[in-house]
Amino acid sequence: MGHGLGTLAAFGCGCTSGALVGIGNLKRHYEARLVRDVRASSAAAATPFIVEEESQWLHSLLTILWPRIDKFLKELVQQEILPQIDKELPQMFKGSVSFPKVDLGHAVPRFRNISLKEQSNQAILLEVTIDMASDMDVQIKALKVPIGVKRLSISGQLNVLFHPVSSKPPFFAGVTVFFVDPPELDMDFTGAADFVDLPVLRQVVRSTILDAVRGLAVLPARIAVDLNPDDDTDQADLSYPPPKGVLRVLVKSAKGLRAADLKLSGASSDPYVMIEVGQQQWRSSVIEKSLNPVWEHGNVVDLLVYEPGQKANLWVFDKDRFSKDDLLGVSKGVVLEQYLNAKTPQDFVLPLFFEGKEAGSLTVGARWFELSAAVPRSFPSAVARGPSQVLLVVKLLGICNLPKTYKPPFQVKITCNGHQLLTKKSTPPSNIRPVAEEVADIARRLKLANHSLQQISEITSLEPQSVKLALAQHSPSSFSRARKEATQEMSATQPVFNQVMYLLLPWTEKVARGTVVLTLLDRQDRPVAKPITKRLNDVIGTVEGGFQLHGGGTLNGRLSTSWLAIPS
C-alpha cells in the first residue's frame, strides 16, 4: 500500500516547506467532493474502485477521472482498433472481416500500491498499479467463421500526473495518464474451436490491441485530460513532454546460455538480444553457435528516457531459420534510474531467467547523456562514438484552412535520413462547444436584423463556425445537429494532431545536408498536395510553422533540435 491520508507528511522528504501545498489543495478538494458524493447517495452504492480506507479521497479523484478515460477508450476501440484489425489482416482475409456485434461492456479497475508524490515543478504524480478487466463482447466474422473476444484484461503501473499548477479548483490545469512500461495484456477468445483454426487472426487481434494501447498510453505517449478548456495550456506539450535524456546501452556478452539447437556437432544456440523501453524496441546482431557469446562494439543503441521510473526488458533469443525463435532467457523490469545516476560508463551483469529458473547472465554497458538546446562546437568523444548525437523534435498542432475536398482523418508522415515516423490520425478541434449565452443572444439578435454570417462573425469576434453554433444553441436538438455538421466540416478543414515526435539521428555531413520531409496523407494513405521539405541544417535551433501546403492550408507546428551532452 502506498501513501494515504495518514502519511502525507512522508511526501515532504527532500522538499521545501511549501512543497506540499499542491497536494494539500488537491486532497482537500477531492475530500470535499467525496463528502458530497456520499451524502448524495443514501444507498451508498458500491463502486468498482477498490482502495484502502485511508486513501478514500484518492478514490474520489479516480472516480471522477475514470468516466472520461473510459469514454475515450471506447471511442478508441470503435474508431481506431477495429478498423486497424481489418487493415492488418493477411490478404486472404481482406474484405471478409465484419464486426456483427461490438459491446465493450464495463471496465472494472482495481487500484493498488497507490503513492502520491510532489515533483520539483510542483506537479503531483499519482503512481498506482491498475488491474482492469472488461466484460466486453466483440463478435468478429472472418471467411464466415465467427470468433468472439469475451474478456480483455490490462495490468501495469499507471501514472497520473497533475500539471501545470492552477490557482482555482481542482488546482491543476491538466492531467496526463500513462503507463511507465507496456502493460500486461490478456484476453479470452471464443468460437472457431477457440481460434485453433485461425491462429493468424488471433495474433492480429491481440497484437493490434496491444499496439493501440502502446501507441495511446505507453511512454512517450500519454492520455491528456484538459481540466480547464478555457486556459492556454498546450495540449501537445501536455501529452508529449520532452525526454529527460538518452541512455546509451552496449550489449557486451552473455554466459551460461541454454542450448536450444541440438545438432550432430553438439548442443548450442545462435543468440541475439532484444531490448524494450516503453515503445522503443531494438535488436542486436546474431552470434552463431555460442553459449557464451561476445558481441562486437557495433551492438549499441541510444534510448530516450522520459521518466526515471521507466524499466527495461531484455530478452535473449536463439535465432532459427525455419521456425519460431526460441527464448533463452529474460531479464524483466530493470529499473533505469540506477543507470541515470552514473556520470561515467558502467557495466551491469543482469541475471537471465527461463520458466522461473536461472538461465545464465547478460552483461551490458550503459552511459547517460543529457539533452541540451545549445549547439555544440564539437562533440566529446563519448558522444561522437555512439549511434546518435542530435534529437530532432517535430511538433504538429493542426492545419488551418484546408480545402474541403480532402478526406479526413489525416496523418503526417515525417521522413529524415532514411527514418520514418507517422502521426496518429487527426481529430476535429476540441473547442466545438456552446458559446456564452450573452454572446449567443447577441448573435441571434443580429441574425433577426438580417446581418450576414460574416458580419455577425466580425461584430462578435466569433469564428463563422462558432456563429452557426451560437444561432442554434437555443434548442438542444438544433445545437446537436449544428455541432455534428461543424464536426464533419472542421474535421476536413481544421484537423488537429496535437502531437510531438522525437527522432534520434547521427550528426554526419550526409545527415546535415539531408532534409526533413512532411507529407500529409488522407484516410486512404494517399499524399495530399506536395510534401513540405526543410533542410536539416536549417532546423538547427527552432523553426516555427505555419508551413504552407501546396493547394491550400497551413500546417502549424515546430521543428527543433536538442543535442546529446555529457552530464555536468
Side-chain angles (χ1 to χ4, degrees):
M1 174 60 202
H3 305 289
L5 294 181
T7 56
L8 279 174
F11 302 133
C13 182
C15 301
T16 63
S17 59
L20 297 182
V21 173
I23 288 180
N25 285 338
L26 194 70
K27 169 179 171 288
R28 284 188 291 273
H29 176 73
Y30 285 104
E31 278 182 325
R33 177 65 181 260
L34 175 63
V35 170
R36 293 199 302 271
D37 290 347
V38 172
R39 287 176 177 173
S41 176
S42 58
T47 76
F49 298 92
I50 303 173
V51 293
E52 305 297 333
E53 183 177 354
E54 72 263 28
S55 294
Q56 286 299 310
W57 74 276
L58 290 178
H59 164 220
S60 177
L61 182 155
L62 292 169
T63 304
I64 295 165
L65 283 180
W66 188 257
R68 303 187 189 190
I69 300 171
D70 185 55
K71 180 176 181 292
F72 180 88
L73 292 176
K74 289 183 177 180
E75 291 176 353
L76 177 80
V77 170
Q78 291 276 16
Q79 300 171 12
E80 299 285 344
I81 294 179
L82 297 184
Q84 191 65 26
I85 289 174
D86 189 36
K87 184 178 179 181
E88 295 295 329
L89 287 170
Q91 190 64 39
M92 64 176 292
F93 292 108
K94 295 295 185 185
S96 73
V97 176
S98 62
F99 301 91
K101 182 178 182 181
V102 180
D103 180 1
L104 299 178
H106 300 283
V108 183
R110 284 180 63 98
F111 297 105
R112 53 189 174 86
N113 301 327
I114 299 174
S115 67
L116 196 63
K117 304 172 183 177
E118 186 151 8
Q119 300 183 333
S120 58
N121 60 354
Q122 292 188 303
I124 291 179
L125 177 64
L126 172 64
E127 297 176 333
V128 58
T129 300
I130 180 173
D131 301 305
M132 185 182 75
S134 175
D135 56 348
M136 65 193 303
D137 185 4
V138 176
Q139 300 296 321
I140 306 170
K141 271 194 176 182
L143 298 177
K144 298 184 179 181
V145 178
I147 301 105
V149 181
K150 284 292 186 182
R151 181 187 65 88
L152 173 67
S153 64
I154 298 176
S155 177
Q157 181 185 324
L158 190 70
N159 282 12
V160 183
L161 186 66
F162 297 84
H163 70 116
V165 176
S166 172
S167 59
K168 298 179 180 179
F171 305 108
F172 293 89
V175 175
T176 54
V177 181
F178 56 93
F179 286 101
V180 177
D181 305 295
E184 296 291 331
L185 177 70
D186 193 19
M187 61 188 71
D188 291 337
F189 295 103
T190 62
D194 289 334
F195 261 155
V196 172
D197 299 330
L198 291 173
V200 173
L201 183 57
R202 176 176 184 164
Q203 179 58 32
V204 167
V205 172
R206 182 185 295 276
S207 61
T208 301
I209 293 176
L210 182 57
D211 288 346
V213 173
R214 288 175 185 266
L216 172 73
V218 176
L219 289 175
R222 310 179 184 216
I223 300 174
V225 180
D226 191 350
L227 297 180
N228 184 0
D230 297 321
D231 65 11
D232 57 356
T233 299
D234 192 318
Q235 184 77 15
D237 290 336
L238 196 64
S239 302
Y240 299 90
K244 307 291 186 185
V246 175
L247 183 66
R248 181 166 293 168
V249 179
L250 174 65
V251 175
K252 291 192 169 185
S253 62
K255 289 184 178 181
L257 298 180
R258 296 189 317 110
D261 297 330
L262 301 177
K263 301 179 181 178
L264 293 177
S265 57
S268 187
S269 292
D270 302 319
Y272 66 89
V273 178
M274 285 283 297
I275 300 178
E276 176 187 72
V277 175
Q279 294 191 42
Q280 303 166 97
Q281 293 182 330
W282 174 84
R283 172 176 164 168
S284 76
S285 62
V286 177
I287 303 296
E288 295 185 355
K289 300 179 182 178
S290 178
L291 300 181
N292 300 288
V294 176
W295 279 271
E296 299 177 354
H297 288 287
N299 284 277
V300 59
V301 60
D302 285 345
L303 299 166
L304 293 170
V305 178
Y306 296 87
E307 292 289 338
Q310 279 188 272
K311 300 179 181 67
N313 296 322
L314 299 93
W315 296 268
V316 181
F317 286 98
D318 167 59
K319 177 64 178 176
D320 286 326
R321 183 174 297 180
F322 301 111
S323 61
K324 183 180 178 182
D325 294 349
D326 298 310
L327 176 64
L328 300 179
V330 61
S331 184
K332 279 197 169 186
V334 180
V335 180
L336 298 185
E337 194 163 10
Q338 59 183 316
Y339 305 111
L340 312 189
N341 295 328
K343 295 185 178 181
T344 57
Q346 303 288 324
D347 284 353
F348 295 88
V349 179
L350 305 174
L352 298 172
F353 296 91
F354 178 77
E355 295 182 350
K357 298 180 180 179
E358 293 186 3
S361 63
L362 177 67
T363 299
V364 298
R367 180 154 194 169
W368 176 247
F369 295 102
E370 295 177 344
L371 289 167
S372 172
V375 182
R377 293 185 178 181
S378 61
F379 294 112
S381 59
V383 175
R385 287 197 299 264
S388 60
Q389 290 76 43
V390 62
L391 178 67
L392 174 66
V393 183
V394 183
K395 180 179 180 179
L396 299 175
L397 299 177
I399 304 176
C400 296
N401 304 319
L402 196 63
K404 297 180 182 179
T405 52
Y406 301 135
K407 302 301 181 183
F410 304 99
Q411 291 178 284
V412 177
K413 181 173 65 176
I414 302 117
T415 54
C416 181
N417 192 41
H419 297 273
Q420 179 175 303
L421 300 172
L422 193 64
T423 67
K424 62 183 182 181
K425 293 181 180 180
S426 64
T427 60
S430 59
N431 59 351
I432 305 177
R433 57 181 185 271
V435 301
E437 187 55 42
E438 296 83 357
V439 179
D441 184 60
I442 293 172
R444 288 193 293 268
R445 291 174 182 272
L446 292 171
K447 180 65 175 177
L448 291 173
N450 295 320
H451 285 76
S452 67
L453 192 69
Q454 185 61 39
Q455 289 172 328
I456 298 174
S457 175
E458 293 172 356
I459 294 171
T460 60
S461 298
L462 295 174
E463 294 291 333
Q465 197 60 251
S466 296
V467 173
K468 293 180 182 179
L469 292 171
L471 295 175
Q473 69 185 53
H474 63 284
S475 161
S477 59
S478 297
F479 180 77
S480 178
R481 287 193 299 270
R483 183 171 184 173
K484 184 176 181 180
E485 293 172 0
T487 299
Q488 292 176 341
E489 179 177 332
M490 296 176 77
S491 293
T493 61
Q494 298 183 48
V496 171
F497 298 104
N498 279 334
Q499 190 169 0
V500 184
M501 308 191 78
Y502 302 96
L503 180 60
L504 283 165
L505 296 167
W507 191 249
T508 63
E509 185 176 346
K510 179 182 177 181
V511 173
R513 293 200 310 267
T515 57
V516 182
V517 181
L518 307 177
T519 306
L520 182 65
L521 306 175
D522 67 9
R523 68 183 177 201
Q524 301 296 329
D525 297 330
R526 296 175 300 199
V528 172
K530 185 178 178 181
I532 298 167
T533 302
K534 296 289 180 182
R535 292 178 60 236
L536 190 57
N537 234 333
D538 297 334
V539 179
I540 295 176
T542 301
V543 176
E544 297 281 353
F547 304 113
Q548 297 302 314
L549 292 164
H550 299 275
T554 302
L555 178 61
N556 296 312
R558 183 178 70 208
L559 302 176
S560 60
T561 53
S562 295
W563 303 83
L564 273 68
I566 296 175
S568 55

